[in-house]
Amino acid sequence: MLRATAGLAFTAGCATSGAVARPAPSPSPSARRPGPAPGPRRFPGRPAQLTHGPRTRPRVALTFHGNGDPATATALLRAAEEHGAHVTVLAVGTWLDEHPGLARRILDGGHDLGNHTLHHLGVNDMSEADALAEIEGCADRLRRLTGSIGSWFRPSRAARASPLVEGLARRVGYPHVLSYDVDSLDFTSPGAPAITRKVLGEVRNGSVVSLHFGYADTVAALPAVLEELDRRGLAAVTTTELFS
């Protein structure tokens, strides 16, 4: 009886009765569960709030506030990747709640992913407890989705963090606050040509450019911006690469 059972098990696992049993193939690297995303890094000699990278290297960082229509986010990521560019996305926590798959989509494209608070409110104007909750809330979502709190923190509705918010971000685990030296003003919907002129008129070696997901003008402007950066010999890299 035992022999018959073993024979049945062997036969069911083979294409033919004479086939040789082989172990199941190992999953391909792409099928394996990805490891934790990169976390924040400290850049010795750099200030707590970073507005631009080294001026001696032909690199720039295009940074996007992660919020709004996910279709524009996907279109912008695709446009960057088609040009061989990498970007930095500072995601709003509630946006990640609504579109959790975008966290891994950003990372799988070779981009940086960071924290832009939980609700995208005026974090500098909040009490200590409320501001801390905003930073920690987004960090918790990033950790749950990616295994880390993200590479960067940028305050919401402000170019720079107040001293209080800077200290709270450091408490949560972000050694630096990420600011910028070029503001595209794309959130005002000025039209793609105006965005292109604004960015290209101000960008220099080491610039950190502020852009946004969720705006059709930004989608339309990005290819022209990337083409001109290429023509000038300026590589669009992640913010981590810019400061490394």
Side-chain angles (χ1 to χ4, degrees):
M1 185 69 177
L2 181 60
R3 179 180 298 175
T5 303
L8 286 170
F10 178 79
T11 302
C14 301
T16 66
S17 60
V20 177
R22 293 182 176 86
S26 300
S28 65
S30 61
R32 295 173 188 152
R33 186 178 180 83
R41 288 180 55 184
R42 183 180 299 279
F43 296 94
R46 295 282 175 187
Q49 299 208 44
L50 301 173
T51 59
H52 59 81
R55 299 296 198 192
T56 56
R57 289 185 288 179
R59 294 178 173 184
V60 299
L62 304 180
T63 67
F64 289 85
H65 300 232
N67 205 4
D69 181 4
T72 63
T74 302
L76 286 162
L77 292 171
R78 186 184 305 117
E81 290 156 7
E82 287 173 352
H83 282 80
H86 292 126
V87 303
T88 300
V89 179
L90 293 312
V92 175
T94 53
W95 185 72
L96 292 174
D97 287 341
E98 295 172 1
H99 313 291
L102 282 175
R104 184 52 59 181
R105 168 67 183 86
I106 292 162
L107 293 168
D108 287 348
H111 311 291
D112 274 0
L113 178 62
N115 179 333
H116 196 38
T117 73
L118 180 57
H119 293 103
H120 199 251
L121 302 174
V123 68
N124 283 347
D125 301 323
M126 294 180 175
S127 68
E128 179 175 351
D130 288 346
L132 181 61
E134 282 292 312
I135 301 169
E136 287 186 327
C138 188
D140 288 344
R141 281 152 176 80
L142 287 165
R143 186 184 293 109
R144 185 180 69 244
L145 291 171
T146 72
S148 88
I149 63 172
S151 300
W152 298 96
F153 168 74
R154 173 175 285 169
S156 48
R157 300 192 181 276
R160 295 180 61 85
S162 67
L164 172 63
V165 170
E166 179 188 310
L168 294 175
R170 190 162 50 247
R171 187 194 306 180
V172 174
Y174 302 98
H176 302 280
V177 172
L178 181 61
S179 184
Y180 46 87
D181 63 320
V182 178
D183 190 348
S184 69
L185 299 178
D186 60 346
F187 61 92
T188 66
S189 298
I195 295 170
T196 303
R197 286 193 303 271
K198 182 75 163 59
V199 171
L200 296 176
E202 299 179 14
V203 72
R204 300 290 185 272
N205 285 10
S207 283
V208 178
V209 183
S210 173
L211 296 149
H212 292 74
F213 285 167
Y215 295 90
D217 288 351
T218 313
V219 178
L222 187 60
V225 169
L226 290 169
E227 287 167 10
E228 179 60 18
L229 291 177
D230 286 344
R231 193 189 69 79
R232 297 183 188 181
L234 291 172
V237 299
T238 66
T239 314
T240 300
E241 292 174 303
L242 184 71
F243 287 101
S244 295

